[in-house]
Amino acid sequence: MISFNQVFKRYPGGYEALKNVSFEVVQGEMAFLTGHSGAGKSTLLKLIAAIERPNSGSVLVNNQNVGVLKEAALPYLRRHLGIIFQDHKLLFDRSVFDNVLLPLQICGFDSRESSKRVRAALDKVGLLKHEKTNPIALSGGEQQRLCIARAIVNRPTILLADEPTGNLDAEYAQAIMQIFKSFHQVGVTLLISTHDTTVLQDKDIRVITLKQGEVQDPSNVAETCNPDLS
Amino acid sequence: MMHTLPPFVAVIRTAFLRIFSSPLAGLLNILVIGIALSLPAGMYILLQNAQSLVDEISGPQQISIFLQQDASTLEIEHLQKLLSQNEAISSVKFISRADALEGLKQSTGLSDVIAGLETNPLPDAFIVTPKSRDASYLENLRTSLVNLPKVAQAQHDTSWAYKLEAILKFARIAILILASLLSVALIAITFNTIRLQILTQRDEILVSKLIGATNGFIRRPFLYFGALQGLLGGLAAWLIISVSLHMLQSPLNNLSLLYSSNFSLHSLSVGDTLSLLLFSLYLGLLGAWLSVSRHLTAIEPR
C-alpha cells in the first residue's frame, strides 16, 4: 500500500530530512510513526501525499511511484488519501458542514449524496450537532475531529495523520484513537505520526521510529508485515 | 443552501457572493467598469445618431444638371437618352423650365413677382441619382456631365455632408482607439481584483489542492467571478447610456422642433446591447484568466 525504498530527502540549504528510509505499510494495516521533533515524521507524510518529492529512492502508494507523478495527476492521488493535518487547515469562512463538504465538491459529488455523506462523517466524529457552527467556535479537540471528518468523508483507502493528538489531553486523545481504530477495523490503511507516549503503549499496533531522518529499527519492518495484525 | 444547488449554479452564486462580500468595493468595481465601457459605447451611439441625422438631412445623393437656355427639344431628348444609358446613373428625372417656374411659385409664395416676369429665367434641368454615394465618384461623374453637349452647369449641393461624413469617420477612429485603451484598462481592473481575490482565498486554495482539487476546479470560481463582474459592469454601462440618452432626449426634442425636424435619438439596439454585454463579459473573463494563470501557480502547499 505504502512502500518507501531507499528514500533520501534533502531540503534546499542542505538539511537532510530523510536518509535511506525503507519500510512498508501493507493494505489494511495501522502503524504509528514516531520520533523526536525534527526526526522527519512530517516530511515522510508529505512525501506520501507528494507535497514534497524525494531526492532519490521511490515512494510507492498503491503501486504508483508518487515521487515522479506529473503535476496534473496529483489531485487524483490525493483523492485516495485522507490527510489529517497537524495545524488542522480548517476554513473559517464557512460552517463545519461546508468544511467537510469541500472534498466532495472537489470530486463532483451530487448534492444529495454529499449531504448524506457529510452528516455521516460528522456523526462518526460526534460533531453532527455543530454542523452549522463556524469551526472557529470549536475547541481544539473538536477542530481535530472536524479535520478527521473532512479526511474521511471521501472514504479514502489510506489515512495519514500528522500529530493528531498533539495538543489534546489524554481523554480527547483516547477518543480520537478510538475513531482511528474503528477505521482500521473497516480496512482503511492508517499511518499516524505521533510522539504521544500514552498512545504508543498500545502493543497491538506497529511502531516505526525515526531518528534524525533514519528508520531506527528495521527489524520492525520484517516482523510486522502482517495484514491481519489487529 | 449551497449544497442543494447544481454545481454550475452554485459556482455562479459563490462568485456573486464574493463580488458583494464587501458591497461597496464590489459596487465601485462594477461602476468603474461601467463608466469605462459607457464612454466609448455612449460615444458610439451618439455617432450613430449623428450618422442618421446626416443621412436624413442630405437625403439621396443627386446631381442637378442645368441646360443652356437655347437647348432645343431634340437636343434635350438626345441628352436624356445619353443620361439614361450612362452606367453610373440609376435614375434620371427631367424638369422642364415651365415646371420649375410653377414649382417655384408654389413653394416660395413669390407668385406675384414671378407673374411680373416677362420671360421664364429658369433653365431646363435634369436631376440624376448616381448609383454610388462615394465623394470622389460623384465628383468624377459631375465633371463628365458638365462636358456633355448643351449642359451649362452640373452641381451637387451636398458637399457639406461629405465634410461631415469625413469628420464622423475621424470620430469613429478616435472612439475605436478610446475603446481599445479602456478595454485594456478593464482587463487590468479585473486582473487586479482577481489577484486580491486569490490572496484572500489563499487558505482555501491551499487546502483544496491538498485534498485533491484539480487546477481547473480551483480556477473556475475566479473565472466566473471575472466574467460576472464584467457582465455586471456591462449592465452598468448600458444603464448609464440609457439614462443619459433619456436625459438628452427632451432638450433635443425642443431643439429639433425649432428646426422643424422630427429627429429623435435612438438608443442602443438589442444587437448593440448584446454585443456590449458579451464584450464586457469576455473582457472580464480574459482579465481573470490572465490573473489566475499568473497567480495561482504561486500557491503550492509546502
Side-chain angles (χ1 to χ4, degrees):
Chain A
M1 206 76 201
I2 301 171
S3 158
F4 275 58
N5 198 1
Q6 299 179 334
V7 172
F8 285 82
K9 174 63 189 175
R10 201 177 306 104
Y11 281 109
Y15 175 69
E16 276 214 314
L18 294 177
K19 293 171 218 159
N20 198 19
V21 170
S22 300
F23 71 92
E24 193 181 1
V25 178
V26 297
Q27 184 160 4
E29 191 181 356
M30 179 170 177
F32 284 126
L33 185 64
T34 189
H36 293 292
S37 296
K41 301 190 295 287
S42 294
T43 301
L44 195 149
L45 292 178
K46 281 179 182 171
L47 288 178
I48 297 171
I51 297 166
E52 295 284 354
R53 310 260 185 162
N55 293 93
S56 68
S58 63
V59 179
L60 298 181
V61 177
N62 289 332
N63 296 320
Q64 222 177 3
N65 188 349
V66 301
V68 296
L69 267 190
K70 286 204 185 86
E71 198 75 29
L74 291 185
Y76 305 99
L77 163 75
R78 289 177 185 159
R79 287 177 195 185
H80 292 295
L81 304 175
I83 311 175
I84 294 144
F85 304 98
Q86 194 169 3
D87 56 354
H88 310 334
K89 296 200 193 298
L90 299 172
L91 298 173
F92 297 122
D93 64 347
R94 60 196 71 192
S95 66
V96 163
F97 185 96
D98 286 342
N99 264 278
V100 182
L101 182 65
L102 188 62
L104 299 179
Q105 285 179 321
I106 285 170
C107 296
F109 276 91
D110 78 75
S111 50
R112 185 182 279 201
E113 172 73 8
S114 301
S115 302
K116 235 190 276 173
R117 283 208 187 189
V118 169
R119 297 223 162 80
L122 284 174
D123 192 31
K124 185 110 192 151
V125 298
L127 284 177
L128 194 51
K129 62 179 184 297
H130 292 296
E131 62 168 312
K132 293 200 172 76
T133 323
N134 186 302
I136 207 150
L138 299 181
S139 72
E142 286 169 333
Q143 288 191 0
Q144 188 62 266
R145 280 186 279 153
L146 175 55
C147 192
I148 294 172
R150 187 182 61 188
I152 59 157
V153 73
N154 206 10
R155 297 183 189 155
T157 49
I158 300 173
L159 205 58
L160 305 174
D162 195 359
E163 301 283 2
T165 57
N167 305 311
L168 305 179
D169 54 44
E171 201 178 323
Y172 275 132
Q174 210 51 50
I176 283 173
M177 289 320 293
Q178 280 311 315
I179 295 174
F180 284 148
K181 277 186 184 162
S182 69
F183 296 140
H184 176 50
Q185 273 157 13
V186 296
V188 177
T189 309
L190 290 106
L191 185 59
I192 300 158
S193 115
T194 183
H195 59 250
D196 189 334
T197 45
T198 54
V199 167
L200 290 168
Q201 302 286 310
D202 200 328
K203 290 283 182 284
D204 291 345
I205 299 167
R206 171 184 160 204
V207 177
I208 300 166
T209 311
L210 280 175
K211 192 173 184 187
Q212 291 171 342
E214 290 173 287
V215 177
Q216 245 203 343
D217 187 7
S219 67
N220 240 345
V221 182
E223 177 194 312
T224 50
C225 272
N226 181 2
D228 346 285
L229 196 77
S230 71
Chain B
M1 289 257 289
M2 191 165 167
H3 54 276
T4 58
L5 299 169
F8 172 79
V9 181
V11 177
I12 292 181
R13 184 180 172 277
T14 313
F16 192 82
L17 289 178
R18 279 184 189 167
I19 290 176
F20 293 106
S21 64
S22 72
L24 187 64
L27 277 178
L28 282 180
N29 262 331
I30 289 166
L31 201 62
V32 167
I33 294 171
I35 291 170
L37 279 171
S38 68
L39 276 176
M43 283 163 85
Y44 164 79
I45 200 72
L46 285 180
L47 195 73
Q48 269 199 338
N49 278 302
Q51 181 75 59
S52 66
L53 187 64
V54 169
D55 288 348
E56 186 192 305
I57 292 174
S58 61
Q61 295 298 328
Q62 288 177 335
I63 298 177
S64 311
I65 304 168
F66 300 106
L67 305 188
Q68 288 165 8
Q69 292 282 2
D70 60 351
S72 69
T73 324
L74 209 66
E75 284 165 331
I76 291 170
E77 273 173 16
H78 176 65
L79 199 58
Q80 175 141 31
K81 217 173 187 178
L82 273 181
L83 288 173
S84 45
Q85 280 165 358
N86 192 324
E87 295 276 301
I89 291 168
S90 66
S91 78
V92 181
K93 190 182 169 203
F94 177 69
I95 297 171
S96 73
R97 43 198 302 187
D99 288 348
L101 193 67
E102 193 57 37
L104 195 65
K105 258 186 204 166
Q106 282 172 5
S107 69
T108 57
L110 295 173
S111 46
D112 292 345
V113 181
I114 290 165
L117 292 172
E118 284 178 14
T119 55
N120 181 351
L122 299 174
D124 289 316
F126 284 105
I127 293 175
V128 301
T129 311
K131 280 180 180 159
S132 162
R133 296 174 61 102
D134 181 72
S136 60
Y137 179 88
L138 280 179
E139 189 51 38
N140 282 341
L141 182 62
R142 195 190 68 82
T143 347
S144 74
L145 291 177
V146 175
N147 293 330
L148 290 173
K150 289 296 171 187
V151 170
Q153 219 183 347
Q155 60 185 37
H156 57 100
D157 298 330
T158 46
S159 54
W160 65 270
Y162 284 100
K163 286 177 193 148
L164 196 59
E165 203 151 297
I167 293 173
L168 292 181
K169 198 177 265 178
F170 171 82
R172 213 169 292 146
I173 297 200
I175 291 174
L176 203 66
I177 294 170
L178 185 73
S180 319
L181 287 176
L182 288 172
S183 304
V184 175
L186 201 155
I187 293 173
I189 292 168
T190 320
F191 184 88
N192 219 22
T193 323
I194 297 292
R195 191 181 69 87
L196 287 174
Q197 273 296 314
I198 290 174
L199 287 180
T200 48
Q201 305 296 138
R202 202 190 141 79
D203 285 344
E204 181 180 354
I205 294 168
L206 272 179
V207 171
S208 300
K209 281 195 175 182
L210 280 172
I211 57 186
T214 56
N215 282 332
F217 178 87
I218 294 170
R219 210 179 286 137
R220 208 168 304 137
F222 295 106
L223 296 183
Y224 276 65
F225 182 105
L228 192 63
Q229 188 179 260
L231 184 67
L232 291 175
L235 273 176
W238 180 83
L239 212 65
I240 291 171
I241 292 169
S242 302
V243 169
S244 309
L245 287 179
H246 186 74
M247 283 163 69
L248 285 173
Q249 184 66 63
S250 102
L252 193 85
N253 279 346
N254 291 339
L255 196 67
S256 66
L257 213 65
L258 293 176
Y259 280 94
S260 60
S261 148
N262 58 354
F263 178 74
S264 79
L265 280 174
H266 58 89
S267 189
L268 287 166
S269 68
V270 177
D272 287 338
T273 307
L274 273 181
S275 331
L276 174 69
L277 294 181
L278 278 179
F279 184 64
S280 59
L281 183 143
Y282 172 74
L283 287 182
L285 188 64
L286 184 64
W289 184 78
L290 288 173
S291 190
V292 164
S293 345
R294 172 85 181 71
H295 297 116
L296 221 50
T297 44
I299 301 178
E300 270 301 327
R302 276 287 163 264

